[in-house]
Amino acid sequence: MSLRPTLDFLLYQWLAAESLNQRERFADHSRETFDAVFDTCERIAREKFAPFNRLVDTQEPQFDGEKVILPQATHEAHKAYAGSGMLSAAQDYDEGGMQLPYTIEAAANCFFAMASVSIGSSLLTKGNANLLLVHGTEAQKEVFARNEFAGRFSGTMCLSEPQAGSSLSDITTRAVPDGDDFEAEPLGPRYRLKGNKMWISAGEHELTENIIHLVLAKIPGPDGKLIPGTRGISLFIVPKKMVGTDGQLTGERNDVALAGLNHKLGWRGTTNTLLNFGEGKYPVPSTGSGRPVAGAVGYLVGKPHEGLRCMFHMMNEARIGVGTAAVMLGMAGYYASLDYAKNRPQGRPVGPAGKDSAQPQVRIIEHADVKRMLLAQKAYCEGALALELYCARLVDEQHTAEAGPADDARLLLEVLTPIAKSWPSEWCLEANSLAIQIHGGYGYTRDFPVEQYWRDNRLNMIHEGTHGIQATDLLGRKVLMEGGKGLQLLAARIHSTMERASQVPELADYAKALGQALQQVGATTQAAWATGNPQDALANAVPYMQGFGHTVLAWIWLDVALAALQADATKSIAVTAGKLGAVRYFYHYELPKIDAWLQVVAARDLTCADLPEEAF
C-alpha cells in the first residue's frame, strides 16, 4: 500500500496545508512544489531505503579497531538523502534551504521512516544544526551548522552517561578552560572535556567528513567541585575532527574515542555508542605550550550553566521525531499485515449450522477478529500520524503566525509534546504486536518483516525521555505551566470540534462521549494535585498520560472524521468509510479504557508507591 493517499488527505483536506502559502515565508510555494518534494522523497525511500531494511538489521555496525563499518547501502542512502536537500528543507533560502513549512518537511520524512527507520540519522543532524542556529555564534553557525545542513558533517546529542542514565543532574563530565586566553578562540570559548557518554546514536561512523557532538558537561565552581544538580550544566560543540575557522578539517583528531558499540534489539542500522571524551587517546596540542595534552576540545554554546536550556531546543524536536518514527513503524506493520490478511486463506465462515468443511477457505480478513486487529492498527497509526502532523502544523503557527496565535501554538505544543512522543511509542508498538498476531506463526519468523518492525519500535518508549519521564513532565509541569493556560487552550480546541460534530448525526454521540472524557481529564488533573504533594500526584503519572492521550486521540479522530464527511462531496467514499470505521472503533473500544486509568490517578492510589521493596 502507498502512504501517499493518507498523507494527502491529512495535509490538504484536514490541515489545509496549502493555506500556509499565504504566509510571507512560504509565498513561493504551492501544492505543486509540496507534491514535487513528496515525489522525490517517496522515490528515494523506495529505491535507497526500503530494499535494504532487512540488510541493515542483519549486518550490524562493526568496529575494526580504527573505524566503524556500515553496509554500502547505508552510505548510498545517506548520500541520496543529503543530495535531496531534505537536511535543510525548512531552512531559510540564505541557509541553502527551501523554506518549506515544517509540516511538509515532517510529512516528507515519513516516507523514509516507514521505508527503513534505522538507516539514517538525519533527525539528530538537523536538530543539532537547528540548535546552533538559535544559540550559536555566527562563527559556530557558519563552521558547524551550515556544514551539517549541507551534508558534509553530521551531528549527535550527548547527554546520558553510564552511571546517570536519564538523571542529567548526576552527570560527571567536566569542562575546564583551555588556557588563560580560552575566551579568545574564534569558534567560541575553548574548554577541555573529560568524561563518558552512553547511548549516543550515530556517535561514530564514516558517512560524513566529520561528526559534531553537542555535549552536556559541568564547569567546576570556584572550589574546583562540580555544581550539584542541573544548574552547573553547560553545552559544548565537540567535533570528532578539529576544524578551522574556514570550515575545513585541520588534519588533527580531537580527543574523542569510541569505547564500544551497543548491540540493540532493533534500530540496528544506526550505530549506538559509548564515547570517551578526553581520555588521552588522541591528545590535542595546547593553545599555550603547543604540546599535545589529554582532553577533548569543546567550544561553549551560549552562556555557562545554561546548557540544559539550550539542549531542550533540540530535545523537544527530537521527541516529536521519535513519535513520528513510532507511527511509521506501526504503519509499516499495518500495511504488511493488511496485505497478508487479504491474501492468506484460512478457516471457513460459521453459518447457522456451524462450519461447512466442504466450502472453500476464506481469506483471514473475512474473520471478525482479524478485522478487529486491523482496525485497531488503523485507529492507532493513522490517528497518531494525524497528531504528529497537527503538532508540525503548530510549529509553523508558532514561527509564522501573528503574536497571539503564535503564542497559543507554543503553549499547545508544550502540552502535546509528551503525548506526541509517548502515545505512538506505546500504541503503535501495540499495532506492531497485532501485525505479528495476524501473521500467526509466520509473524514470529524472519521470513516476514513484522517482527523487525516490532523490535525497531520497542526502542521508542525509551529514548529521548522514557515513558515515565514524559508522563511526569505532562502531569508535573505541562498541564500546570502558566496557570494551566495550555490545558485550557487544548480544551477550547476540543470544544470547538465537539460543537461542530454535535451538528452531524453520524458523529453527535461521539461528540458527547468526548465531552465526558474531557471533563474527566480536567477533574482528574485537579484531584491528582488536591493535596499539593507531588508524590501523591505523580505516583500514577503514566495512567494519567494514557487517559489524557486517549482523550487527545479521540479528539483528533473526531476532527478527522468531520473532514472525511466533507470529502464525500468529492466522491471519496472509501476514504470516508475507513475514517468513520476507525472513529467508531476508537470510541467503542478504546476511549472507555480511560475510566480505569484515570480512576487510580484521581484517587491518588499509592498501591505502587507504598509497596515495600521486600514485597517484590
Side-chain angles (χ1 to χ4, degrees), residues 257-558:
L258 177 67
L261 295 174
N262 297 309
H263 299 284
K264 301 171 292 178
L265 177 73
W267 280 69
R268 293 175 176 174
T270 301
T271 55
N272 191 276
T273 61
L274 170 61
L275 298 178
N276 291 341
F277 291 84
E279 67 174 2
K281 185 173 183 178
Y282 304 104
V284 181
S286 168
T287 55
S289 66
R291 290 184 291 103
V293 296
V297 172
Y299 307 102
L300 181 68
V301 178
K303 297 179 180 179
H305 312 309
E306 293 188 5
L308 205 55
R309 181 180 68 85
C310 295
M311 185 62 91
F312 265 103
H313 180 93
M314 184 177 180
M315 289 168 67
N316 285 333
E317 182 177 327
R319 285 168 177 172
I320 293 174
V322 167
T324 303
V327 172
M328 301 323 299
L329 284 163
M331 195 75 83
Y334 167 53
Y335 287 166
S337 60
L338 177 58
D339 180 70
Y340 184 82
K342 287 180 176 180
N343 291 283
R344 167 70 171 174
Q346 185 173 321
R348 292 166 177 83
V350 178
K355 291 184 180 180
D356 182 357
S357 59
Q359 293 295 316
Q361 289 185 318
V362 297
R363 297 167 302 137
I364 63 173
I365 196 171
E366 297 181 50
H367 298 303
D369 192 55
V370 173
K371 286 185 177 181
R372 175 189 64 82
M373 292 186 283
L374 289 169
L375 200 46
Q377 291 180 75
K378 181 180 178 69
Y380 297 152
C381 299
E382 289 189 17
L385 176 58
L387 172 64
E388 299 301 331
L389 294 176
Y390 184 86
C391 288
R393 186 71 160 79
L394 288 176
V395 172
D396 285 322
E397 288 296 311
Q398 183 181 356
H399 292 153
T400 64
E402 298 293 331
D407 195 56
D408 287 351
R410 174 189 65 83
L411 269 173
L412 279 167
L413 269 172
E414 290 283 2
V415 173
L416 288 175
T417 294
I419 302 299
K421 188 273 179 185
S422 287
W423 197 92
S425 298
E426 179 172 5
W427 296 101
C428 293
L429 178 69
E430 174 62 18
N432 288 130
S433 181
L434 292 171
I436 293 174
Q437 190 71 18
I438 287 171
H439 281 74
Y442 289 113
Y444 203 63
T445 70
R446 294 190 179 183
D447 297 324
F448 290 84
V450 288
E451 60 85 27
Q452 182 185 345
Y453 295 145
W454 188 93
R455 285 188 290 106
D456 284 343
N457 216 350
R458 188 57 188 84
L459 176 62
N460 290 316
M461 286 181 71
I462 299 172
H463 72 170
E464 307 307 339
T466 64
H467 219 49
I469 287 173
Q470 299 298 326
T472 300
D473 183 43
L474 177 66
L475 180 55
R477 192 167 73 91
K478 294 299 179 63
V479 298
L480 305 177
M481 65 187 299
E482 299 186 29
K485 185 179 176 183
L487 186 57
Q488 294 165 15
L489 285 169
L490 178 60
R493 299 213 175 184
I494 294 174
H495 275 293
S496 176
T497 299
M498 287 163 43
E499 289 173 8
R500 290 185 292 125
S502 66
Q503 306 302 312
V504 180
E506 299 99 314
L507 304 178
D509 287 345
Y510 303 141
K512 182 178 179 180
L514 179 58
Q516 293 170 345
L518 180 62
Q519 185 178 26
Q520 189 173 1
V521 168
T524 299
T525 306
Q526 292 182 339
W529 286 102
T531 66
N533 185 344
Q535 289 183 320
D536 292 345
L538 301 179
N540 294 293
V542 167
Y544 176 83
M545 183 170 67
Q546 289 171 315
F548 193 109
H550 260 51
T551 301
V552 167
L553 264 293
W555 161 57
I556 290 288
W557 264 120
L558 190 60

Side-chain angles (χ1 to χ4, degrees), residues 568-592:
D568 254 348
T570 62
K571 309 301 182 185
S572 302
I573 305 301
V575 170
T576 304
K579 299 293 185 285
L580 292 181
V583 170
R584 184 179 179 187
Y585 173 85
F586 202 89
Y587 276 81
H588 290 187
Y589 289 75
E590 294 295 329
L591 191 58

